[in-house]
Amino acid sequence: MTPMDEAWFILKQMRQSNLGEHEDFFPSPYGPVVAYHGTKGDNFTDMMAGSGLQNPDPNYRHITTNPSEAATYGMIRSGGARNSPQNQSQPKMIGVRQAAFDQNHPNYIGLSHGLKNRDDYKEAQHFGGNIPRQFLTNVPMSNEILGDTMQAREGRQDIIDRNMSYPAESQNHASGRVQDMQDAPPTQFPIVNQRGEVRPQEPTQRQMSRSKWLKNAPTGEQMMNDYNQQMTQYMQPTPVKQPQDPYQTQLNFEGE
């Protein structure tokens, strides 16, 4: 494979991003932001790095059309680490663009059921489902949005000030990312077989040991079984096809 072939292969594997994936006010081919998800900074970092918005339960209400309701949930998730400084990260809000709904990624659940009262954000619609990264963007928590959160309604500006003062990413989460990068092998071009299939990557000991702490994650044994099955498929021999010359003609050996 020539250097030009290698460069072209890498470019084909990359997804072209656009400005609208980074801030809600930038133009986007996926339309305007029409729904929101509130979370904490650590999860925000993972989602925006490429994982997208995921939840194993399609009926879990984690998307709302009211930004202040989403910010309320973000405050709650961020505040869960108030007694653990190494895990503190500020609340964040993710916007979901119109194209995600046009392509039926979100699953409509119903109107808001309220937080403490049935009428809390009663006009908001709730959705579940998984949203690919390209339909997501960052939405800053403005004073207007924060001013209508449940924390603000209850006069708990102290909670808002405390959580918003947390770092964008916790120390433990940042350390874990650095460790993952150090464990990763040096950057190299993907190894492919004759069918163009990329060679599967064997799960690391770190990945298998961490899986037992993640909800609904495969066990280390399952990860190795999946890897072995993928390698079996990858190593299957490619049938040899005899070259055919479209200009080749059958010679006539019979005498006239």
Side-chain angles (χ1 to χ4, degrees):
M1 181 180 288
T2 67
M4 182 61 70
D5 292 334
E6 294 172 345
W8 179 241
F9 179 84
I10 293 176
L11 286 173
K12 289 195 296 183
Q13 306 306 311
M14 298 173 62
R15 182 182 65 80
Q16 184 65 47
S17 63
N18 60 79
L19 287 175
E21 295 183 29
H22 304 285
E23 294 291 346
D24 62 328
F25 52 80
F26 282 132
S28 170
Y30 301 120
V33 171
V34 294
Y36 308 87
H37 171 79
T39 186
K40 61 181 181 179
D42 289 351
N43 295 341
F44 175 89
T45 301
D46 294 337
M47 294 176 195
M48 303 307 278
S51 69
L53 185 53
Q54 301 182 31
N55 193 286
D57 183 359
N59 294 313
Y60 181 74
R61 303 166 179 255
H62 65 152
I63 302 170
T64 174
T65 54
N66 188 301
S68 293
E69 183 179 29
T72 297
Y73 282 108
M75 284 289 171
I76 294 172
R77 294 186 176 98
S78 173
R82 60 185 178 276
N83 296 321
S84 178
Q86 301 296 319
N87 294 310
Q88 291 171 353
S89 61
Q90 66 182 222
K92 290 284 188 176
M93 189 158 59
I94 293 175
V96 184
R97 295 192 179 273
Q98 179 64 53
F101 292 84
D102 296 339
Q103 298 184 23
N104 298 319
H105 289 289
N107 172 41
Y108 179 69
I109 297 175
L111 295 176
S112 175
H113 52 61
L115 292 171
K116 295 190 175 181
N117 303 300
R118 295 293 299 176
D119 292 338
D120 293 337
Y121 311 110
K122 64 179 181 179
E123 301 300 325
Q125 300 181 60
H126 280 179
F127 298 83
N130 301 329
I131 313 297
R133 167 65 182 91
Q134 62 263 34
F135 302 119
L136 306 177
T137 189
N138 174 53
V139 178
M141 288 191 179
S142 65
N143 290 333
E144 181 181 1
I145 291 174
L146 291 173
D148 196 35
T149 58
M150 290 301 299
Q151 290 84 1
R153 291 184 183 187
E154 296 175 347
R156 295 305 306 271
Q157 184 65 36
D158 59 312
I159 294 179
I160 297 176
D161 293 340
R162 180 198 66 200
N163 291 8
M164 293 299 291
S165 70
Y166 290 158
E169 183 181 11
S170 73
Q171 295 180 29
N172 280 348
H173 191 268
S175 298
R177 284 195 304 106
V178 172
Q179 185 63 48
D180 286 343
M181 289 188 291
Q182 292 175 344
D183 291 344
T187 302
Q188 57 184 358
F189 297 113
I191 301 175
V192 299
N193 59 19
Q194 291 181 335
R195 295 185 296 276
E197 300 169 346
V198 178
R199 183 187 179 95
Q201 291 188 349
E202 184 176 358
T204 65
Q205 289 294 327
R206 180 179 176 83
Q207 290 173 329
M208 291 189 291
S209 62
R210 290 174 61 182
S211 67
K212 62 183 179 182
W213 304 109
L214 301 176
K215 185 178 180 181
N216 297 320
T219 64
E221 182 178 0
Q222 290 173 327
M223 295 172 70
M224 283 302 302
N225 288 339
D226 291 343
Y227 166 73
N228 290 331
Q229 292 178 6
Q230 294 168 4
M231 278 300 296
T232 300
Q233 172 63 31
Y234 175 83
M235 297 300 293
Q236 287 293 322
T238 302
V240 177
K241 294 183 179 180
Q242 296 297 331
Q244 296 182 357
D245 183 356
Y247 301 102
Q248 182 179 353
T249 57
Q250 181 65 44
L251 298 178
N252 182 11
F253 291 100
E254 296 182 0
E256 296 181 357

